[in-house]
């Protein structure tokens, strides 16, 4: 058994879905479960429609919905899915009109709306595989993936989910290709939830671990994990192999190619994860395993995260009083805002966040016991590699390579496989180019291409 997850661009059109069918057909002997994202940018579009509706802009919302409906009808033409696509869009129409009346978008309603992308795409892909002669069976992910009630960021309840996956999916795979939507799930009452943006990767690994798959494949629009974000640095190398912890760290620090939680279920069952390109299926991709072969290059890849805000928090009592850190973190906890990087001195704490939704409230609470200054328009550059702990000159080389770019904050050691720095957003491109040139001039051919 294998799990094959196809992202938005890999199912963005009838043509793309035809490529998916070819890729799946070539692997039928491995008993695939196919997990699909919403087609193209459908999730973004659904969320924009919802935002229009709650803002009272019903007309533009309905116009965008009609466009989205036409897109789905066009790309699924000839598959015999017209009625079911139509029914889903009628439900959406009612939901959108309801939002325009209520003028309130709760997390629960957000999930109800955004789930339609994967609900519809999975039906279309299943029909397409059947049209190509495969015995494809659609499973509604909401009937097997059970989560808590944290709408838009729900966490799976693994015992129940694994039981359902084993009982439902495993027997089906003897005779069918199972097709299901990523990202979507339901809570114990059967109410639709989602796993967070980019969560279809996570669905794939939840399913893979639940059924005990031999491999989890993430099919996307790049050749694998690359040595730098291709939107910042075109022409980076393909990472042939890396460890689970390296992949998780890269994902957490901005390598969007993988949802950060993806490797967790895979680690638990030691299931290899492979990132592959659905436009170039012949490329080997990136293999993510627990224990990759030794590599002479000190770092595996450079990730980056934009839109970072730095808070400098200085204790008004001059000395860092006992309990100061606890009080700070309690504030961030209360506003469900996670901290990415942290540095402390005797009287001050600097930390970064990327979610600034609650920043004014956080700032007000911190100012009750500290002086707070805020810097915006920053970025994190994060070099990741298990070798960082073994090489003693990585930071020296990194700072020399930066050649005049002054990091606002540096962190090394927390996981021993990452060296991160905060730089001005305006310096991001140059920082990555310089670091990449320094560390990937002659990458080890056993681990990079
Ligand atoms: P999908 O829709 O298939 O889930 P995503 O857009 O979520 O695809 O992820 C793939 C994208 O991740 C790539 O197109 C690329 O722009 C981006 N990306 C960022 N960092 C990296 C990296 N280090 N290696 C590969 N891709 C990366
Ligand atoms: N469609 C969802 C999103 O755009 C999930 C995914 O594609 O992984 O976030
Ligand atoms: Mg993705």
């Amino acid at each position: 058994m294998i799990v094959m997850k196809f992202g938005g661009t890999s199912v963005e059109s009838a043509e793309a879905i035809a490529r998916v069918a070819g890729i799946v057909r070539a692997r039928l002997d491995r008993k695939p479960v196919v997990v699909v994202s919403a087609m193209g940018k459908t999730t973004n579009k659904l969320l924009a429609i919802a935002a229009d509706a709650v803002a009272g802009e019903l007309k533009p919302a309905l116009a965008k919905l009609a466009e989205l409906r036409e897109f789905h009808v066009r790309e699924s033409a000839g598959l015999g899915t017209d009625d079911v696509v139509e029914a889903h869009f009628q439900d959406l129409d009612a939901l959108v009109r309801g939002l325009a009346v209520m003028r309130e978008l709760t997390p629960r309603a957000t999930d109800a709306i955004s789930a339609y992308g994967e609900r519809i795409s999975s039906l279309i892909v299943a029909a397409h595989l059947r049209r190509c002669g495969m015995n494809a069976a659609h499973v509604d992910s909401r009937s097997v993936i059970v989560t808590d009630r944290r709408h838009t960021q729900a966490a799976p309840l693994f015992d129940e989910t694994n039981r359902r996956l084993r009982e439902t999916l495993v027997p089906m795979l003897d005779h069918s290709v199972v097709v299901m939507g990523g990202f979507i799930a339901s809570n114990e009452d059967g109410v639709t939830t989602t796993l967070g943006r980019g969560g279809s990767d996570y669905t794939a690994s939840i399913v893979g671990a639940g059924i005990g798959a031999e491999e989890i494949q993430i099919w996307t629009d790049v050749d694998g994990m690359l040595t730098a974000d291709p939107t910042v640095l075109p022409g980076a190398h393909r990472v042939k192999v890396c460890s689970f912890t390296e992949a998780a760290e890269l994902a957490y620090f901005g390598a969007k190619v993988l949802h950060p939680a993806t490797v967790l279920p895979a680690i638990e069952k030691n299931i290899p994860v492979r990132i592959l390109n659905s436009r170039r299926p012949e490329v080997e991709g990136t293999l993510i395993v627990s224990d990759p072969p030794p590599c002479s290059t000190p770092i595996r890849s450079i990730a980056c995260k934009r839109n970072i805000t730095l808070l400098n928090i200085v204790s008004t009592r001059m000395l860092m009083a006992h309990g100061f850190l606890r009080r700070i973190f309690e504030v961030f906890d209360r506003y469900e805002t996670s901290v990415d990087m942290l540095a402390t001195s005797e009287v001050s704490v600097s930390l970064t966040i990327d979610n600034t939704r609650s920043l004014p409230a956080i700032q007000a609470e911190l100012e009750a016991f500290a002086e707070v200054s805020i810097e915006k328009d920053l970025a994190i550059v994060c070099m990741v590699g298990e070798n960082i702990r073994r090489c003693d000159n990585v930071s020296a080389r990194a700072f020399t390579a930066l050649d005049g770019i002054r990091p606002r904050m540096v962190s090394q050691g927390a996981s021993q496989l990452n060296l991160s720095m905060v730089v001005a957003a305006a310096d991001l491109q140059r920082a990555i180019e310089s670091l990449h040139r320094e560390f990937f001039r002659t990458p080890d051919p056993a681990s990079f291409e």
Side-chain angles (χ1 to χ4, degrees), residues 326-361:
R326 181 180 50 73
R327 287 183 77 181
I328 292 175
F329 281 109
E330 270 171 4
V331 174
F332 287 90
D333 186 38
R334 232 180 351 268
Y335 290 97
E336 298 188 352
T337 297
S338 55
V339 169
D340 289 328
M341 273 176 72
L342 176 74
T344 65
S345 79
E346 189 188 9
V347 293
S348 66
V349 175
S350 297
L351 49 79
T352 70
I353 57 173
D354 66 353
N355 172 2
T356 52
R357 202 180 43 227
S358 307
L359 185 56

Side-chain angles (χ1 to χ4, degrees), residues 5 198 201 256-259:
K5 176 261 170 176
D201 301 333
K256 183 177 162 239
V257 67
L258 215 55
H259 182 279

Side-chain angles (χ1 to χ4, degrees), residues 5 7-8 37-38 40 43-44 114 118 182-183 196-201:
K5 176 261 170 176
S37 288
T43 312
N44 286 351
S114 61
E118 273 75 5
F183 179 57
R197 294 305 308 270
S200 294
D201 301 333

Side-chain angles (χ1 to χ4, degrees), residues 163-379:
R163 188 184 65 74
R164 294 193 195 185
L165 287 169
R166 267 194 316 269
E167 288 176 6
T168 316
L169 259 50
V170 174
M172 292 174 79
L173 290 172
D174 281 332
H175 46 82
S176 309
V177 178
V178 169
V179 180
M180 45 199 286
F183 179 57
I184 61 175
S186 67
N187 68 25
E188 286 172 293
D189 296 331
V191 177
T192 299
T193 56
T194 65
L195 305 175
R197 294 305 308 270
S200 294
D201 301 333
Y202 193 25
T203 304
S205 70
I206 294 166
V207 172
I211 64 171
E214 67 197 48
E215 186 169 292
I216 297 159
Q217 301 180 344
I218 306 295
W219 291 85
T220 183
D221 60 355
V222 283
D223 283 352
M225 181 68 80
L226 305 173
T227 50
D229 184 332
T231 60
V232 179
L233 186 84
H237 306 282
R238 171 170 63 92
V239 177
K240 289 185 183 170
V241 58
C242 72
S243 72
F244 285 130
T245 30
E246 286 170 331
E249 197 85 359
L250 286 164
Y252 183 75
F253 282 99
K256 183 177 162 239
V257 67
L258 215 55
H259 182 279
T262 312
V263 299
L264 297 175
I267 291 175
E268 201 140 299
K269 297 273 173 69
N270 198 17
I271 302 171
V273 176
R274 209 184 272 279
I275 305 175
L276 294 148
N277 189 343
S278 66
R279 286 173 191 272
R280 306 197 328 139
E282 67 285 359
V283 178
E284 266 176 42
T286 298
L287 180 63
I288 306 168
V289 290
S290 63
D291 209 4
C295 165
S296 64
T297 307
I299 65 174
R300 197 71 78 170
S301 173
I302 307 170
C304 61
K305 226 171 171 174
R306 295 179 184 84
N307 298 321
I308 294 296
T309 298
L310 179 75
L311 285 86
N312 295 301
I313 305 159
V314 181
S315 167
T316 39
R317 289 210 224 152
M318 291 316 288
L319 276 178
M320 188 113 88
H322 162 77
F324 185 54
L325 282 176
R326 181 180 50 73
R327 287 183 77 181
I328 292 175
F329 281 109
E330 270 171 4
V331 174
F332 287 90
D333 186 38
R334 232 180 351 268
Y335 290 97
E336 298 188 352
T337 297
S338 55
V339 169
D340 289 328
M341 273 176 72
L342 176 74
T344 65
S345 79
E346 189 188 9
V347 293
S348 66
V349 175
S350 297
L351 49 79
T352 70
I353 57 173
D354 66 353
N355 172 2
T356 52
R357 202 180 43 227
S358 307
L359 185 56
I362 289 173
Q363 182 175 4
E365 289 210 20
L366 291 173
E367 280 174 346
F369 59 92
E371 279 165 20
V372 182
S373 64
I374 290 174
E375 291 175 54
K376 296 192 168 155
D377 297 324
L378 300 170

Side-chain angles (χ1 to χ4, degrees), residues 145-156:
I145 314 266
V146 187
T147 68
D148 62 16
R149 285 163 216 281
R150 291 190 51 212
H151 285 286
T152 75
Q153 281 293 340

